[in-house]
Structure formats: structure tokens, C-alpha cells
Amino acid sequence: MDGNGRWAKGKGHKRLYGHFNAITSVKEVIKGSVEKGVKYLTLYAFSTENWGRPKDEVDGLMGLFCKTVAKEIDELNVKGVKMRFMGDFSMLSESVRKTMNSSVEKTSKNDTLEVIIALSYSSRDEISNMVRKIAEKAKKGDINIDDINNDEIRNNLYLSDIPDPDLLIRTSGEQRISNFLLWQLAYTELYFTPVLWPDFRRKNLFEAIEEYANRSRRYGLVNKE
Ligand code: IPE
Ligand code: MG
């Protein structure tokens, strides 16, 4: 979800104004995903690198997160949304963690759409954690070196039950991955759009899904004649 700051600056406002207006886009994309029968929607909300932004922006984002979840959680629950989170939670404040935990508990029985929020997330940290966990198991003799394979690696990432993404959408014209799901994106279809995140609507999601539907996914193989 990129381009909030540029969107706000372009309208002569502070960056936070862009973040506030990003909420409409999030709601639209959740609604559109439910309509299309999408089962997993992962939103990259805040990276570990984002902690280096000015304090007022970080505080504003965290406050916005808590307020928005509190306001929207009942409606999300009615829609059948199951909330999940991934990231380094040790860096988050008590109030953010409380908000996260209560939304996860409240929606744990839902199964229409899983909404995974990457918060204080870094894919490289996720991979480092995975290596440490497997090394610890090997040290204790719980696993043989020969048994370290793709399944073992997946099982030690943050949310190992979530399948690899089919489609990655990045807004705002930037064409890079920025430390997001590096292992899981191996065969994901990438979609880049110049639309700034606060302008992103259901129809933009549907356009991306439409393009995805016309891609030929070969996973390194060849198409059948
Ligand atoms: C994305 O918008 C939101 C977050 C990273 C929290 P940006 O804040 O990165 O907006 P730009 O890229 O500066 O326009
Ligand atoms: Mg950005």
C-alpha cells in the first residue's frame, strides 16, 4: 500500500492526511476481495524500516491503526473476516498489541476471508528467525541436517499455514519488493500500478485480478499444446 505521502503532498497536505485517506482504500479492497471470493489478503501496512520515519508520523500511523480496528472490527466480523498479523511484535506498543490480540480473538472462528496485516514486518528478519529456529532444533538433535528442506523452511516462517500469494499488487508506480515475503513470492505474479494507494478502489482491484486471470503461470514448466 504505497503512495500515501505523495497523495497528501500533491493536495497540499501533511503526509498523515494521506494515511487517514488510505483507510477507505483498505475497506474497498477487503469488500472487493470478499465479493471475488479471495481467501487470503495480506496488507503490508508497516515495515521495520518504517520505524525510522519521523516520530509524529509513526505515532500517527499507530494511533490510526488502533482507532480504525476498534471502529471497524464489528463490521469485519459480520463479513466473516478473520484477522491475522505478522511481524516483529516486540517493537509494538502495549496498546497496539492489545488491539491486535483482541481483533484476532474476536474473529478467530471466521472463514470467509483471512486478512493478514504485516505490521513491523521485515522479510529478511522473518528469514533470519527461521534460520535461528531450525539451527536451534538441529543443535538439540531434534532435526537432521538432511531434513532441512522447503517444507521445513516454510514451517518456520511467521504464518506457515497461509499459502504463497498468487498476486502481488504494488501501488504508486514503484517497482520493487521492499523486503516483503521474499521467500513466499517465488512464483507470485507481480502487478504494478501508478495509482496512489489512497485512490485505489474496488475497480482497481478488479482490474488487477482481470490481468492476473490472463497471465500464463508455468512455474518453470511449459504449457500443454
Ligand atoms: C505507504 O505510503 C504507507 C506506509 C508505508 C505506512 P507512504 O507513506 O510510503 O507514501 P509515499 O511513498 O511517501 O508517497
Ligand atoms: Mg512509500
Side-chain angles (χ1 to χ4, degrees), residues 44-64:
Y44 197 3
F46 194 86
S47 70
T48 53
E49 289 79 15
N50 290 150
W51 288 113
R53 292 192 179 193
K55 189 179 180 320
D56 65 331
E57 184 172 346
V58 172
D59 290 350
L61 277 165
M62 293 299 155
L64 179 64

Side-chain angles (χ1 to χ4, degrees), residues 1-4 6-7 25 169-174 191-201 203-204 207:
M1 303 186 284
D2 201 9
N4 300 352
R6 277 164 283 166
W7 185 89
S25 308
I169 300 172
R170 183 170 187 153
T171 57
S172 87
E174 308 296 0
Y191 180 87
F192 299 102
T193 167
V195 176
L196 302 174
W197 179 251
D199 287 329
F200 199 86
R201 292 289 174 271
K203 79 167 188 5
N204 302 104
E207 278 166 17

